[in-house]
Amino acid sequence: MKKLVLVAMASLAMILIGGTRGESDAAGPMNILFVTVDTLRADRLSCYGYDKKTSPNIDAFSKKGTLFEDAMTNVPLTNPSFSSLFTSRYPHQIGSIRNGIPMVEGVPTIATILKAKGFETSAVISNWPLKRHLSNLQQGWDSFDDDFHEKRWLFFNAERDAETVSDLALEWIEKGPKPPFLAWIHYSDPHAPYQYHDDFDFGGKLSDSERYDSEVGYTDHHVGRFLDAFAKSKLASNTLVIFTSDHGESLGEHGYTGHGRKVYQPSMRVPLIVAGPGVPAGARTPARCSFWTLLPRPWPSRARPPTRRCWAGTSRPP
């Protein structure tokens, strides 16, 4: 198993550095941009079939790339999930088994691999479990912005709201990152406690489900601000954009609200949309995906979607 994991990581490096384009392509290696939303259920996005229009901006982005209908996290907790995503290892293999327990030193990550290959690496995070002293995920990032201290609703752990995250992400665009680059923009809404936003009302504000939808709409708006600006920038033409979440959220199913203690679909299924050079636009695939396994075949097409597992790790499979 350990050997297989290392092969997957080596394959990732080859994909991103030399395998994404032809040998003579003057554009060089593609930039990689992760846009992630904490605690986002796939089935609460309109593009995944939700009957409420909670996500017009994410829906629009999905039409530019390929939407994976059956993507799963490895664990419904923030730090273990992202540690797994960025290392291609299961959480128990790297020590990050729950929030507040950092990943062990010396594990190769996508950031350490690409930084060694000359990529500029930048991250803007927004949730307390991802702070460097609690996650050890800062390894390999030239800029790892975890300087936030405001507590949500005054007494919960520190977070950044979606508006602030997008403001910082827009500043990153304006500074003009030097290609090739790896970037990670992470939004914390719609994590509990669910906050109702007046401008994003989808039927009420009394229940957890209604407030959760309001959070999704609010986050979608600010994700859209960033994605629109990025699409208009000169960076977009040579960038692979991966949109996903660390886990979902139970909203009363099976008598449970929240995440981390149950492994039912509401907290395990996540959205996964990939767009960029070489990725079919407007495509959907029922391929079963996880944050660890690697898909050894070409990108899916409308005519014949793949049936093997894919790895939501970072890039196009070989």
Side-chain angles (χ1 to χ4, degrees):
M1 181 64 73
K2 184 176 181 180
K3 182 177 180 181
L4 178 61
V5 172
L6 294 176
V7 169
M9 286 300 296
S11 298
L12 166 63
M14 289 189 291
I15 290 165
L16 297 180
I17 302 304
T20 55
R21 300 177 177 274
E23 292 292 335
S24 61
D25 196 319
M30 279 196 290
N31 309 309
I32 309 295
L33 169 62
F34 280 96
V35 179
T36 59
V37 179
D38 212 293
T39 321
L40 181 60
R41 287 175 60 143
D43 65 359
R44 289 304 177 101
L45 300 176
S46 313
C47 54
Y48 277 87
Y50 195 38
D51 58 0
K52 297 179 181 180
K53 303 301 180 183
T54 55
S55 54
N57 294 290
I58 296 170
D59 298 348
F61 172 70
S62 73
K63 295 177 181 178
K64 298 179 180 179
T66 294
L67 181 149
F68 290 82
E69 297 174 340
D70 192 13
M72 295 287 168
T73 185
N74 285 327
V75 57
L77 285 170
T78 297
N79 183 36
S81 177
F82 280 119
S83 297
S84 182
L85 172 63
F86 290 144
T87 63
S88 187
R89 300 192 185 196
Y90 290 117
H92 72 272
Q93 294 177 302
I94 54 178
S96 180
I97 57 174
R98 67 186 185 198
N99 289 335
I101 299 181
M103 179 175 61
V104 298
E105 294 286 346
V107 180
T109 71
I110 182 175
T112 59
I113 290 172
L114 294 189
K115 179 176 172 61
K117 294 293 183 178
F119 277 58
E120 179 179 300
T121 57
S122 301
V124 176
I125 67 167
S126 58
N127 202 355
W128 67 270
L130 300 176
K131 281 179 170 278
R132 65 189 69 204
H133 69 287
L134 295 174
S135 69
N136 209 17
L137 278 172
Q138 81 287 351
Q139 299 175 71
W141 297 97
D142 296 315
S143 172
F144 189 82
D145 188 346
D146 63 348
D147 187 18
F148 55 94
H149 309 282
E150 184 175 347
K151 296 183 183 297
R152 199 171 193 193
W153 288 15
L154 302 179
F155 57 91
F156 282 85
N157 289 304
E159 292 182 8
R160 278 182 173 132
D161 61 23
E163 181 177 4
T164 304
V165 172
S166 284
D167 289 345
L168 292 168
L170 293 174
E171 290 179 10
W172 169 76
I173 293 176
E174 292 173 1
K175 291 177 182 177
K178 181 181 178 182
F181 63 78
L182 166 70
W184 176 25
I185 310 299
H186 178 62
Y187 296 82
S188 281
D189 317 81
H191 197 287
Y194 320 120
Q195 183 174 352
Y196 173 78
H197 303 268
D198 290 333
D199 294 335
F200 304 95
D201 187 318
F202 299 100
K205 60 181 180 180
L206 297 180
S207 70
D208 287 339
S209 180
E210 291 166 341
R211 293 196 305 276
Y212 181 87
D213 285 346
S214 184
E215 290 271 49
V216 173
Y218 166 77
T219 306
D220 173 83
H221 171 74
H222 290 291
V223 168
R225 288 174 54 216
F226 170 66
L227 288 177
D228 287 347
F230 186 81
K232 294 173 183 176
S233 74
K234 62 181 180 180
L235 306 170
S237 63
N238 194 38
T239 300
L240 191 72
V241 183
I242 299 103
F243 176 87
T244 191
S245 176
D246 52 349
H247 54 76
E249 183 82 329
S250 291
L251 293 167
E253 298 90 349
H254 304 284
Y256 178 61
T257 297
H259 58 269
R261 293 178 176 82
K262 306 287 185 180
V263 289
Y264 293 112
Q265 282 270 339
S267 60
M268 296 297 290
R269 186 183 177 209
V270 296
L272 173 62
I273 304 167
V274 184
V279 181
R284 302 174 71 96
T285 173
R288 291 182 176 180
C289 306
S290 79
F291 280 179
W292 183 80
T293 50
L294 190 66
L295 174 66
R297 57 167 59 192
W299 271 101
S301 66
R302 289 176 182 270
R304 188 177 181 183
T307 56
R308 287 190 176 184
R309 290 182 177 270
C310 70
W311 183 43
T314 51
S315 179
R316 300 192 311 169

